[in-house]
Amino acid sequence: MTTSNPTAPLSGQAPTRPGPTRRVTDAPMRMFHWLFALCFVGAYASADSEHWRLLHVTLGYTLAGLLAFRIVYGLVGPRQARLSLMARRLAGLPSWLASMRPGAAIRPDGRQGLNLLMALAVVVLLALVVPVALSGYATYNDWGGEWLEELHEFTGEAFLWLVLAHVGLIAGLSVLRRKNQALPMLTGRIAGTGPDLARRNHGWLAVLLLAAVLAFWAWQWQDSPRGLLPGEAPALSGDHAHEDDDD
């Protein structure tokens, strides 16, 4: 009489094991990406509400700080995070655009086009933080009149459309390559053999970045006597305070 092992694989199939992976994105880049996305979504959602005004401003300042981190990390960080790598990717954009002209000797490559558009969208998103933050700061301090407020709204809407284009390009590449292109920004790894593009994870720096953002938010909260809670407008002082006119 034989006994069956309930843990044995069915139909004689060997249990599947996860294949080899390699790291392509380190922890600071992933932390930057998701903090950047969170701050934009929160800032856009709170843009039209006076009750959430200080939260909106705080998230806008955080976007500016994250941009500063990305620039510094892109200059002195590891190779896969360098801004020069992004520039090299965009260097192929003119030739790809030339291939789209009628009668061009080389037919345009759809996948290459999506990759180039992805890199271009990221660069423009980062660049847009500057006018968004500066116009928002000027508007918050009542500088420049209505045109700066309109500029802030325009750049905010442009930011939204670029974010949607970025998400759409990720979805398009995921379909073409039959792989989830957003997954490396969660795990930092892709399937395959070979050396890690990101040799070290630098988890300590990701924790430090998160701690700096949380500390700034806490400082903003403490600096306002009424906090950041909805329905409670922050008490303004200094340049933000306006005395009521005498009746």
Side-chain angles (χ1 to χ4, degrees):
M1 181 176 181
T2 60
T3 58
S4 60
N5 184 357
T7 62
L10 298 178
S11 303
Q13 295 179 353
T16 58
R17 296 179 180 179
T21 62
R22 55 186 185 137
R23 186 188 301 118
V24 294
T25 308
D26 62 8
M29 284 295 294
R30 302 198 306 272
M31 182 64 71
F32 162 81
H33 180 274
W34 294 112
L35 284 175
F36 194 88
L38 174 64
C39 288
F40 169 72
V41 171
Y44 188 86
S46 58
D48 296 327
S49 174
E50 286 296 323
H51 297 316
W52 292 89
R53 190 183 187 197
L54 185 57
L55 176 62
H56 175 77
V57 172
T58 298
L59 294 176
Y61 290 162
T62 307
L63 279 175
L66 289 170
L67 174 63
F69 167 82
R70 182 66 184 92
I71 292 175
V72 172
Y73 200 58
L75 294 174
V76 302
R79 181 179 178 276
Q80 91 285 345
R82 291 293 179 95
L83 296 176
S84 57
L85 180 61
M86 195 176 298
R88 285 197 296 270
R89 289 176 180 174
L90 289 178
L93 184 60
S95 60
W96 183 81
L97 291 175
S99 69
M100 296 185 65
R101 292 182 300 183
I106 302 176
R107 298 182 61 183
D109 186 333
R111 291 191 178 185
Q112 180 190 14
L114 287 177
N115 286 326
L116 289 170
L117 290 176
M118 174 81 73
L120 182 62
V122 170
V123 170
V124 177
L125 275 174
L126 294 176
L128 265 182
V129 173
V130 176
V132 166
L134 291 179
S135 61
Y137 182 81
T139 300
Y140 184 60
N141 288 277
D142 297 327
W143 298 345
E146 293 184 359
W147 74 272
L148 274 175
E149 184 176 354
E150 293 176 356
L151 175 63
H152 186 62
E153 293 178 357
F154 174 80
T155 51
E157 291 297 325
F159 208 111
L160 173 65
W161 284 106
L162 277 172
V163 168
L164 294 177
H166 178 66
V167 173
L169 288 169
I170 292 175
L173 283 172
S174 298
V175 171
L176 284 175
R177 297 179 177 178
R178 299 180 181 179
K179 293 181 181 179
N180 187 345
Q181 297 298 300
L183 195 58
M185 272 302 171
L186 287 172
T187 64
R189 310 187 73 88
I190 61 172
T193 58
D196 291 336
L197 297 181
R199 297 181 180 180
R200 298 181 180 179
N201 195 37
H202 300 109
W204 63 271
L205 184 56
V207 172
L208 188 61
L209 176 61
L210 177 60
V213 170
L214 294 178
F216 174 68
W217 290 352
W219 179 75
Q220 284 285 90
W221 183 290
Q222 294 296 326
D223 192 53
S224 174
R226 300 185 184 182
L228 301 175
L229 296 176
E232 297 178 349
L236 302 179
S237 59
D239 293 338
H240 304 307
H242 299 277
E243 296 180 357
D244 294 333
D245 295 333
D246 294 333
D247 294 332

